[in-house]
Amino acid sequence: MFLVLQRLSGQAPERLMVALAEHTGLPALGLAELEMMSPEFSVLGYTDCLQRECILLVDVRGVRWFVSNDPLDESMYTWASYRISGYFRLAFSHPLELRSLLTRFESHQNALTQLVQLGQGGEQQSGAEEISLASIAQDDSQVVRLVNSTLYDAQKSGASDIHFENTSQGLLVKYRIDGVLTPARQLPDVSLTEQVISRIKVMAELDIGEKRIPQDGRFSVTIQAREIDFRVSIMPGLFGEDAVLRILDKQLLTSELSQLSLDVLGIEGEARDIIRRLANQPYGMLLVTGPTGSGKTTSLYATLSEINHGDDKIITIEDPVEYQLPGVLQIPVNERKGLTFARGLRSILRHDPDRILVGEIRDQETAEIAVQAALTGHLVYTTVHANNVFDVLSRFRHMGVDPYSFVTALNGIVAQRLLRLTCVHCAVPFVPDDELLQASGLSREAIEGHSLTRGRGCAHCRGTGYKGRRALTEVLVLTDSLRELILQQAPITRLKELARANGMCFMREQALNAVRKGQTTLQEINRVTFVE
C-alpha cells in the first residue's frame, strides 16, 4: 500500500483518490459526500480520530463507514474493528479533506470541546496555557499535541493512571482501566520520547535537567469546567525515563460520593452487614487492608457516608484528601511543613473527635497513637498495606506495636480486592476447558448447573471483555477466642479454622460465587485471588 501511495503521490488529490479506489476496489469519498453523513464519536473518540486521521460515519441508510487515508493498514483496521461492534464498510478520503471535516465537527461538538488550563498544585495560574481540540490537531508542536490529547483521551476513557514507558523501539503509552494496563498508542520515533517526558516535567514544575534520580510532582488540568489533578512520578530506566500520571477527578468523586454506599460498591450479603456493624461500634479500630488501588479509601468513605448523620465529630487525616465529605473535618498531610500522620493524629485527639479516619498507617509512631486513640473511647478507621486479614497481624508486630494493646483495640479487619466484571454488552456463554479448570483448582462437577460467561470484546469495553468492577471483601471479626490465639502466636491455619467456624467467608469463595453467577470469569478471579 505504501508503494502505491508513493508512486501516485505526485498526482492531484482527486486523481490520487480515484487511482487508489481503482487499485483497491474501495470507494473514495470527497468532502461533500463526507459532510452528508453523521459521525459516531461515541464509538471512535474525537481525539483518537484526530490522532489517526480517520472517522466513523453513518449514512442516510444507516450504513456505517470507517473512512481514513489508508483503511487497509493492518494496525488501523485492527484498532477500528476492536472498537466498532457489528458491520461496517471501508472507504478512502484524502488527508486534507479528513482534517477539514474533523475541524468542522469540532465546533459543533460541545460535549467534546475541551479547555485545558495548566496550573500547579491544584491552583489555576494567570496566563495559563489554553488548548482546544482544534488546536490539538493544528498545534505546531507534535509533543504538546501528543501530551494534551493523551490527557484528554485518558480522562474520557475512565483511566486511573497513564503510563509513558520508554523502550528500545520508542515510547509506549498505556492506560490503567479497571485496574489493568491497556496499550493506548506507540511512538516509534525514539527522538520524541525524551521530549515527551520533558514536557510532563515542565507541566509538573520538575527539574528537566535531572535524569538520574526519581522525581515526584503534580499539576492540575481543567477539562470542560472540571478540575482534574495529575500526580506525576518520574523514574529513570534502562532506555530513558518513564513517567506515571495518576488521574484524580475530585469533582467526579465528590458527586459520586453523595450516592456512595457499601451497596453501590458491590459488597454483598453478610460481609456488608458485618462491616456496618463494626463501623457503628462505640470505640475500637476498624482496619481495611489490600494492595495499592484496591479501593480501601473508597470503602472507608462509603462507610463514613452511611454513618455521617451530624451527631458525631468526624475528623480525617489523609495524604492527599481524595474526597470531600460535607460535615467532616478533613486534614491533608503536609510533610514539608512538618504535618505528618503522627503529628496530625496527636492534634486531632485534642479536638474532641468521636470518629477518626487515618488515611494510612505507615510507621510505628502512627500505629501506636491510633491504637491508643481506639483504647480511649474513639472509633478509628484506617488502612494498612497487607495481602490478607492475617498478614495485618504480623505487619503491626513488625512495627513494634504492643500485641496486647493492638488486639484489644481491634474490632475487625477487612481485606479487599477489586474484581473486573464481564462486559454485559458482549457477554456470551462460556465452557472452560480442562486446563483452565485445573489451574483454577476446580472439577467439572463444581460448575455444573451454572451459566459461566466471558466477554468477546466490543466498543463498550475497548475490546477487553470486561467493563466495571466490584469490591471483593473478606471480614475477620475479632472475638475473645481469636484474640487469645493471636496473643499465643498460634499458626495461621488454626486462626483460619476458627475464623471459618465463626462464619467467615473467604475471598476466594466469594470470587467463585461471582463466576457461577456469570458476573466475571475464572481468568479474572485467578488474577486477583489465590487458588486454595
Side-chain angles (χ1 to χ4, degrees):
M1 186 63 190
F2 174 76
L3 295 176
V4 176
L5 286 169
Q6 190 177 44
R7 189 173 69 248
L8 300 174
S9 59
Q11 301 187 27
E14 296 79 8
R15 294 185 60 190
L16 174 61
M17 290 295 104
V18 170
L20 287 173
E22 292 176 353
H23 179 79
T24 62
L26 296 176
L29 304 180
L31 184 59
E33 295 170 290
L34 296 175
E35 289 179 332
M36 295 176 63
M37 305 187 209
S38 302
E40 279 200 343
F41 291 130
S42 60
V43 178
L44 296 185
Y46 188 86
T47 305
D48 283 330
C49 292
L50 284 173
Q51 286 288 325
R52 298 174 181 268
E53 292 189 346
C54 64
I55 193 169
L56 180 65
L57 298 168
V58 182
D59 63 20
V60 293
R61 299 169 298 169
V63 177
R64 295 196 291 181
W65 294 84
F66 176 66
V67 187
S68 77
N69 63 352
D70 187 6
L72 293 183
D73 178 78
E74 184 177 352
S75 61
M76 176 82 79
Y77 179 79
T78 302
W79 172 82
S81 53
Y82 261 126
R83 288 158 176 77
I84 307 173
S85 58
Y87 174 77
F88 65 93
R89 300 183 64 182
L90 300 176
F92 281 110
S93 186
H94 194 275
L96 293 177
E97 295 184 327
L98 277 172
R99 292 172 196 161
S100 177
L101 179 72
L102 288 168
T103 302
R104 294 184 190 186
F105 276 133
E106 189 274 338
S107 62
H108 300 293
Q109 294 293 314
N110 292 331
L112 291 175
T113 300
Q114 171 189 228
L115 177 63
V116 177
Q117 295 176 323
L118 301 179
Q120 173 65 21
E123 299 180 359
Q124 295 183 9
Q125 299 178 343
S126 59
E129 183 178 353
E130 298 183 2
I131 305 170
S132 66
L133 281 178
S135 68
I136 290 176
Q138 300 170 0
D139 199 301
D140 292 336
S141 172
Q142 182 180 0
V143 174
V144 173
R145 185 167 65 247
L146 170 69
V147 173
N148 289 326
S149 63
T150 300
L151 297 181
Y152 176 82
D153 184 51
Q155 193 272 339
K156 183 175 178 292
S157 301
S160 61
D161 301 85
I162 309 172
H163 289 240
F164 294 87
E165 299 180 356
N166 264 301
T167 67
S168 58
Q169 287 79 34
L171 186 69
L172 183 61
V173 182
K174 298 179 181 178
Y175 300 155
R176 186 176 293 280
I177 302 175
D178 288 339
V180 176
L181 284 177
T182 304
R185 61 188 62 169
Q186 186 168 8
L187 282 178
D189 189 350
V190 179
S191 63
L192 279 178
T193 60
E194 185 175 339
Q195 299 177 50
V196 169
I197 301 299
S198 295
R199 170 63 178 167
I200 295 171
K201 286 182 176 180
V202 169
M203 295 168 70
E205 293 192 354
L206 300 177
D207 185 357
I208 62 173
E210 180 57 71
K211 302 177 182 179
R212 297 165 296 179
I213 61 174
Q215 296 188 67
D216 296 315
R218 62 191 306 161
F219 62 89
S220 292
V221 170
T222 301
I223 301 176
Q224 295 180 269
R226 301 172 66 90
E227 183 177 321
I228 315 294
D229 282 349
F230 289 85
R231 283 186 284 172
V232 180
S233 173
I234 306 292
M235 190 71 64
L238 184 62
F239 299 104
E241 292 177 295
D242 284 13
V244 175
L245 278 60
R246 167 65 58 88
I247 304 173
L248 186 58
D249 187 345
K250 289 185 177 180
Q251 294 183 22
L252 175 63
L253 295 174
T254 302
S255 62
E256 289 180 346
L257 196 59
S258 62
Q259 304 174 346
L260 192 60
S261 67
L262 296 177
D263 298 298
V264 172
L265 295 181
I267 301 176
E268 300 175 344
E270 191 175 357
R272 176 192 57 208
D273 298 335
I274 295 173
I275 294 173
R276 283 177 175 155
R277 188 173 75 246
L278 293 172
N280 281 281
Q281 296 294 327
Y283 54 84
M285 179 183 289
L286 174 60
L287 270 172
V288 181
T289 186
T292 302
S294 60
K296 300 185 294 295
T297 303
T298 305
S299 294
L300 283 179
Y301 267 90
T303 303
L304 284 182
S305 297
E306 293 188 351
I307 66 171
N308 184 17
H309 305 301
D311 51 357
D312 286 325
K313 180 72 172 181
I314 303 176
I315 306 178
T316 76
I317 179 165
E318 309 162 67
D319 183 23
V321 175
E322 297 186 358
Y323 304 87
Q324 298 173 16
L325 267 180
V328 176
L329 175 57
Q330 297 173 272
I331 304 169
V333 167
N334 190 338
E335 295 188 356
R336 292 182 180 178
K337 300 295 185 180
L339 180 55
T340 61
F341 275 112
R343 183 173 179 180
L345 191 50
R346 283 199 189 93
S347 299
I348 287 174
L349 294 176
R350 296 192 291 270
H351 210 69
D352 190 29
D354 296 296
R355 303 173 187 271
I356 304 169
L357 186 148
V358 183
E360 182 185 347
I361 290 182
R362 302 174 178 172
D363 52 55
Q364 179 181 356
E365 187 179 10
T366 307
E368 289 177 344
I369 299 171
V371 168
Q372 290 303 314
L375 290 172
T376 54
H378 306 90
L379 186 57
V380 178
Y381 310 86
T382 188
T383 71
V384 66
H385 284 89
N387 292 323
N388 55 60
V389 293
F390 300 103
D391 286 349
V392 172
L393 306 174
S394 60
R395 227 2 246 291
F396 274 79
R397 189 179 296 118
H398 290 156
M399 285 185 192
V401 179
D402 177 52
Y404 181 82
S405 299
F406 174 60
V407 298
T408 303
L410 191 60
N411 293 336
I413 307 172
V414 180
Q416 181 166 308
R417 297 288 190 280
L418 290 178
L419 188 71
R420 289 188 298 170
L421 301 176
T422 302
C423 178
V424 296
H425 299 281
C426 61
V428 295
F430 173 67
V431 179
D433 55 28
D434 293 336
E435 183 179 353
L436 179 57
L437 286 175
Q438 184 178 1
S440 305
L442 297 173
S443 62
R444 184 70 58 180
E445 292 75 18
I447 62 171
E448 285 186 359
H450 300 284
S451 301
L452 275 63
T453 63
R454 69 175 180 89
R456 291 178 301 179
C458 64
H460 296 279
C461 60
R462 298 176 69 98
T464 63
Y466 298 96
K467 182 68 174 179
R469 290 186 290 179
R470 56 157 285 193
L472 199 63
T473 58
E474 60 183 19
V475 187
L476 177 67
V477 179
L478 268 291
T479 61
D480 290 339
S481 52
L482 263 174
R483 288 187 174 96
E484 290 176 2
L485 286 181
I486 293 170
L487 291 174
Q488 296 170 9
Q489 297 189 15
I492 296 297
T493 53
R494 287 189 61 191
L495 296 178
K496 286 185 176 181
E497 290 172 0
L498 182 55
R500 192 184 296 275
N502 291 338
M504 178 178 172
C505 183
F506 289 92
M507 203 176 293
R508 181 69 180 184
E509 297 168 6
Q510 297 178 45
L512 288 172
N513 289 335
V515 171
R516 295 186 180 105
K517 293 177 182 178
Q519 297 175 349
T520 189
T521 64
L522 288 174
Q523 292 92 333
E524 175 64 7
I525 69 168
N526 291 343
R527 185 182 69 87
V528 299
T529 64
F530 278 106
V531 178
E532 296 180 355

